[in-house]
Amino acid sequence: MALHYNLAKVYEISSDDADFVHQILMLFFKEVSSEIQNIKQGINEKNHQKVYKAAHKIKPTLDLLGMDLAYEEINEIMIWAKSEKKKKEIKENFKLLKVQIELSSKEIKKNYNIK
């Protein structure tokens, strides 16, 4: 049983098309990992716009894949980026986001035999 993600929305919009589900998962691995790096870089550079743009780009994917905890963290990161607060205030949210994405990724790879 999946603990860190829920593909119910993906299966619903795909009419249970396994190829479509696989494509969505592959897009997740490609897109999210690069945008996580952009968020990290933006936080380190205090570039709030870069953080917001990257977070906004992956937010729908996290929702679609039922990654509720990661979705909550991405919302917090977007709020931080819009308010342009100091970076020490966002480091914990980013750390939690990364952990949730890593856990979800490992689980998806195992459950869907993705290498």
Side-chain angles (χ1 to χ4, degrees), residues 97-109:
L97 173 67
K98 276 186 64 172
V99 166
Q100 288 302 314
I101 289 175
E102 288 169 4
L103 291 171
S104 298
S105 295
K106 286 179 186 177
E107 204 171 354
I108 289 169
K109 285 179 179 180

Side-chain angles (χ1 to χ4, degrees), residues 11 21 25 57 105:
Y11 280 105
V21 172
L25 294 176
K57 188 172 180 180
S105 295

